[in-house]
Amino acid sequence: MKIAYFDTIAGVSGDMTLGAFISAGMPIDALKAEIAKLNLDGVELEVKHVQRNGITAVKLDVVISSQQTHHRHLKDINNIIDSSLLHTAVKDNAKKIFMEVAKAEAKVHNSTIEKIHFHEVGALDSIVDITGAAICLDYFGIEKVYSSPVKLGSGGFINTEHGKLPLPGPAAVEILKDYPTVLTDISFELTTPTGAAIIKSMSGGVLSAESIKVNAVGYGAGSKDLSPLPNLLRIMIGELAPEYQEEELVIVETNIDNMNPEIYPFIIERLLEAGAHDAYMSPLIMKKGRPGILLSAMTSRAKLDAVTKIFFSETTTLGVRIQPVGRKKIERTQCEIETVFGKIKVKAITYDGRTRFTPEYEECKRIALEKKIPLLDVYRALENILNSKPE
């Protein structure tokens, strides 16, 4: 999987993002050509190489030669993006980033997404920064973005059209709610709303011990000297080893002590038919020493209503507990292979670059009944065949 990792050494902003991508190999002429598709008058990109604590980085500035006399609403910005000849993926990502800013600004100013005025963020330079970030992601073929915990400045103020605002900026904090952050003692706006929105809308979270093969590294420079901290954003572009797949599921469960146990196998079948990934029972000792059953089902949120209805319609429960749960799973597919029993379906499981095969129970059961041989013998024969199968 092709990824971009944002290492927020000194926070993140729109111009630092573009500078880091250019440093990593984004051709400046190609970026300018794509930005020109926005049909913005009086906009130029200036690029230069600077040193930050001995590290060479790209400093990008958006130079506006035409005077801007009006603010923009979200629909105005979306119209600029939609009317351009940019790739659909670029348009979608740019609008997604702007939506994060709009939601935060609306919340901070007690307004609505439709009514909010984009002041600094709606200026031409931020339209260029946000759309430029989407262009760079598209150019490098980035499938997913990750970041370090985002650095924030504190203990000072920033000047805005609303007057002095405390650090970290209210809009940036609002955008980064529920995202890992680090509050520093640096009294400077390390992370702007634009930078925060790029991270929040594009990132899949932070990385821990994942295996990455880095293909390119770029450094984008901020304007202010923050010595001894280098005012840099580092972007690493590379391949993330697909060790497992991640998904968010929910567990639906209830305790039952007053139901005929013969019904449980039927309920398990109904839950699986309704879309549960798994359904199972665990023995319990309940109040007054009664034996009971914990009935559980794991499902996606899309199938939650269907699964919950089975609990209420097929059991004696009066309530269920619903808890979110994360699941990591390794890649698996179903395929057919030729055996002494003919063609059979098996599960192919891929992990750490290797693939192993396991027989499916229903297939083994079918063969055992058709051939009139013990089920255990079928399993043993198939496991010998599958274990000797070349990858």
Side-chain angles (χ1 to χ4, degrees), residues 209-212 240-245 329-332 348-356 391:
E210 285 79 0
S211 176
I212 307 173
L240 181 65
E243 295 293 324
Y244 46 75
Q245 300 167 353
K329 61 180 183 180
I330 56 180
E331 183 182 351
R332 82 286 303 268
I349 301 168
T350 302
Y351 180 72
D352 198 23
R354 304 183 65 181
T355 301
R356 57 186 171 90
E391 294 184 8

Side-chain angles (χ1 to χ4, degrees), residues 243 329-335 337 345-360 382-383 385-391:
E243 295 293 324
K329 61 180 183 180
I330 56 180
E331 183 182 351
R332 82 286 303 268
T333 57
Q334 194 178 75
C335 61
I337 65 170
K345 294 177 182 177
V346 299
K347 189 179 294 179
I349 301 168
T350 302
Y351 180 72
D352 198 23
R354 304 183 65 181
T355 301
R356 57 186 171 90
F357 301 89
T358 60
E360 295 279 12
L382 289 178
E383 285 172 351
I385 294 170
L386 297 175
N387 287 336
S388 62
K389 180 178 176 61
E391 294 184 8

Side-chain angles (χ1 to χ4, degrees), residues 260-336:
N260 182 350
E262 293 178 338
I263 299 175
Y264 284 113
F266 174 76
I267 295 170
I268 295 294
E269 290 181 11
R270 294 277 284 123
L271 288 169
L272 295 174
E273 290 171 356
H277 293 285
D278 197 5
Y280 49 92
M281 302 177 294
S282 307
L284 296 175
I285 300 299
M286 297 178 61
K287 62 185 179 183
K288 301 180 181 179
R290 297 174 186 167
I293 289 293
L294 171 63
L295 179 63
S296 307
M298 182 169 63
T299 184
S300 65
R301 290 197 176 274
K303 300 290 185 180
L304 177 57
D305 286 344
V307 168
T308 303
K309 285 179 181 178
I310 301 299
F311 275 80
F312 289 131
S313 64
E314 300 288 356
T315 78
T316 57
T317 189
L318 301 179
V320 298
R321 297 181 293 276
I322 300 174
Q323 304 176 51
V325 60
R327 182 169 79 154
K328 295 182 179 182
K329 61 180 183 180
I330 56 180
E331 183 182 351
R332 82 286 303 268
T333 57
Q334 194 178 75
C335 61
E336 285 189 342

Side-chain angles (χ1 to χ4, degrees), residues 141-162:
I142 303 300
E143 300 171 69
K144 203 154 190 179
V145 172
Y146 295 94
S147 83
S148 64
V150 180
K151 305 291 196 312
L152 298 172
S154 66
F157 295 88
I158 50 174
N159 295 314
T160 73
E161 293 197 13
H162 300 285

